[in-house]
Amino acid sequence: MTKDMEDWKAALRDLGVTSLIRPENFHTPPQMSPSKNKKVAATPSIAYQPPTDSVRNPPTEIIQTLSDLPGLLEAIRGCQRCILGTTRNQFVFGEGNPHADMMFVGEGPGRDEDLHGRPFVGRAGDLLEKMIEAIGLKRSEVYIANIVKCRPPDNRIPTPEEARSCLGYLQKQIEIIQPKVIVTLGATPLRELLGITEGITKVRGTLRFFHEIPVIPTFHPAYVLRMYTPEVRKAVWDDLKLAKTKIEANV
Ligand code: URA
């Protein structure tokens, strides 16, 4: 340590400063607390060990053999493949017309859905229903499901591992229903179903495919509720009209 530095430290000590920030830590940004609307996936401190029995960890080979929705539900309703299965109140399988032309895929159950065992029953669900009706369909005519079937605590975004544990179930639902078009709601289904990590604002309204099925990404109704502007509403309206043309083109 140079004489100047020693003098400087002594002067600081006189001022009551007894410890110094090490230079290598000096530029470390402070820890930010998550913003109010941002849902951050928590990293469990202990890695979750999935059970090994077929009720709580339904074997993929069995799922693959199934060909109807009630049979699939029966096979997977006790699932605890990921930690969400241990914290949920209800398993939210999905609901709607098993022969629907249009299928909606959201992120995961929230508080209301977890309590009722049905997808999109809260405020976002009310808006989704209005969106469906705006294009001349009824909720009972479409099928609604989510990337994960159990509520992530605090409505956080499901982790990629949780989404992966559950994805085979959604894929099976899509295979059974064979919709003519899928509408994904928000960034999570876009990422987990299609592997698209670009922002939803950029991707919405563009035509994508899941296997051969046309997919139209649009905003999540919860986002529309937060950003209830004419622009956002028009964007969703345009996306749903586009989705409807995919049904009409494939009669
Ligand atoms: N948000 C979702 O993504 N899914 C639901 O079922 C409810 C809210």
Side-chain angles (χ1 to χ4, degrees):
M1 195 184 299
T2 63
K3 172 96 179 42
D4 280 349
M5 275 190 83
E6 271 178 13
D7 289 348
W8 176 64
K9 272 186 81 177
L12 287 175
R13 228 179 357 255
D14 290 343
L15 290 170
V17 179
T18 53
S19 66
L20 290 174
I21 300 168
R22 296 177 70 82
E24 62 269 27
N25 294 335
F26 198 75
H27 296 291
T28 306
Q31 287 288 309
M32 305 287 281
S33 54
S35 76
K36 234 179 167 189
N37 290 326
K38 183 120 178 81
K39 301 178 283 175
V40 180
T43 313
S45 49
I46 303 168
Y48 177 70
Q49 290 297 323
T52 51
D53 62 277
S54 62
V55 171
R56 291 178 301 157
N57 194 348
T60 304
E61 315 81 75
I62 303 285
I63 306 299
Q64 274 164 0
T65 62
L66 301 172
S67 55
D68 63 275
L69 295 174
L72 177 63
L73 171 59
E74 210 38 54
I76 68 176
R77 66 184 327 150
C79 180
Q80 293 188 355
R81 276 184 182 178
C82 80
I83 200 163
L84 302 184
T86 67
T87 54
R88 68 167 177 243
N89 281 304
Q90 296 220 43
F91 186 81
V92 183
F93 179 68
E95 68 177 22
N97 179 356
H99 308 291
D101 287 338
M102 189 178 286
M103 181 164 177
F104 289 84
V105 178
E107 178 177 286
R111 185 177 152 275
D112 295 321
E113 291 75 19
D114 179 55
L115 290 175
H116 292 93
R118 297 178 53 211
F120 282 99
V121 290
R123 280 185 70 225
D126 291 344
L127 181 60
L128 178 62
E129 214 163 304
K130 287 200 183 106
M131 286 158 54
I132 293 166
E133 285 165 4
I135 51 164
L137 294 171
K138 293 194 205 100
R139 182 179 169 124
S140 59
E141 288 176 300
V142 306
Y143 198 89
I144 305 174
N146 281 305
I147 290 292
V148 291
K149 309 220 173 294
C150 303
R151 181 192 184 199
D154 302 324
N155 295 347
R156 64 166 169 75
I157 297 167
T159 66
E161 293 72 30
E162 290 158 358
R164 223 176 298 129
S165 310
C166 220
L167 200 59
Y169 303 158
L170 177 64
Q171 286 170 338
K172 193 69 197 181
Q173 285 174 299
I174 295 172
E175 190 188 311
I176 294 170
I177 297 165
Q178 293 187 21
K180 290 179 180 159
V181 65
I182 297 172
V183 178
T184 55
L185 304 167
T188 301
L190 201 54
R191 188 176 59 247
E192 303 301 347
L193 192 64
L194 304 183
I196 296 173
T197 52
E198 276 171 280
I200 180 69
T201 312
K202 225 167 157 196
V203 179
R204 63 137 284 272
T206 61
L207 176 62
R208 307 289 164 142
F209 287 89
F210 176 72
H211 298 284
E212 309 272 275
I213 305 171
V215 178
I216 310 291
T218 195
F219 292 126
H220 193 284
Y223 173 81
V224 182
L225 284 172
R226 281 200 305 275
M227 303 290 292
Y228 206 69
T229 64
E231 292 76 23
V232 169
R233 275 148 54 204
K234 177 172 184 317
V236 174
W237 166 237
D238 288 345
D239 300 345
L240 293 185
K241 275 191 301 183
L242 177 62
K244 187 118 188 262
T245 66
K246 298 298 156 200
I247 300 178
E248 285 151 7
N250 184 7
V251 275

